[in-house]
Amino acid sequence: MTSTATTTELKRELGLFDATMINVGTMIASAIFIVPATVAAAVTGSLTMTLVWIVGGVASLLGALSIAELAAAYPEAGGQYAYLREAYGQVWGFLYGWANFAVINTASIAAIAVGFARYVGFFTRSPLSEAAIRIIAILSIAALTWLNCRGVRLGATTQNILTTLKIGALGALIVTSFALPGGSGAHMHPLWYSVSGAAGGGGGGGRGSGRWGGGWWPAWGGTTAGSRPRMSAVG
């Protein structure tokens, strides 16, 4: 009597554009619109604030390249869970998976949803109450969860549209910053970090916020690798 082992895996329905938009969309999340003000408040000096973003960007790039290589070597769903499981064993993968489910991604999703809800208040006639902000945040999470449960293709299409809108919004913000009148070089002062003008721990808060603004790449490298059609390595 012979038995055949069956392998269960995600449907490979995502293309290169879908995978790119998922990663870009998760990195350009609500945090990119929220964090700059936090960094500016925590770190005095325009050049210092810019340096914080450069350091955070380089760290994110190095991490993203590492995750990309791991995703190419282990094209499985699960991201860091799969890599920890293969490198250190089932226990560490199991612990990370539950921590990711219960705390890491949960807290990040909640923070982004609250940030989105607060920005909705800028488009209403009167400021939203804290209760309204929480309700909008909960509804946004529930709506996106329902939409993704409807299928990979529908979720990917929605992600593509939302990411395109976010890229357009950032592009418009950059263009209008240079095109509209009223700017002044005096707004860039002070240029460098001043100990006397900064609260204690400001630099650390700025670095942490800068990392949060671009630190979602670990969660999606392996996820998209497990949902895209397998491709042969080139090079």
Side-chain angles (χ1 to χ4, degrees), residues 81-224:
Y81 159 76
Y83 312 146
L84 289 171
R85 183 194 63 203
E86 293 295 327
Y88 302 110
Q90 296 280 354
V91 173
W92 296 107
F94 173 82
L95 291 175
Y96 172 78
W98 274 103
N100 205 34
F101 172 77
V103 179
I104 301 172
N105 275 359
T106 306
S108 297
I109 291 172
I112 291 171
V114 170
F116 164 76
R118 289 191 183 279
Y119 267 92
V120 170
F122 287 101
F123 299 94
T124 58
R125 291 186 177 181
S126 58
L128 296 175
S129 65
E130 287 298 319
I133 289 173
R134 293 172 185 172
I135 292 173
I136 292 174
I138 293 171
L139 290 177
S140 66
I141 294 173
L144 289 175
T145 300
W146 174 84
L147 190 146
N148 280 280
C149 288
R150 297 287 297 173
V152 175
R153 186 65 266 159
L154 180 60
T157 301
T158 304
Q159 178 69 45
N160 294 345
I161 295 172
L162 294 177
T163 300
T164 302
L165 292 175
K166 284 191 287 187
I167 294 174
L170 279 178
L173 186 63
I174 293 170
V175 170
T176 53
S177 297
F178 288 95
L180 294 179
S184 172
H187 298 160
M188 304 296 291
H189 294 286
L191 296 177
W192 200 246
Y193 181 79
S194 173
V195 177
S196 60
R207 287 192 297 272
S209 298
R211 271 289 293 109
W212 181 49
W216 269 80
W217 38 264
W220 291 102
T223 305
T224 52

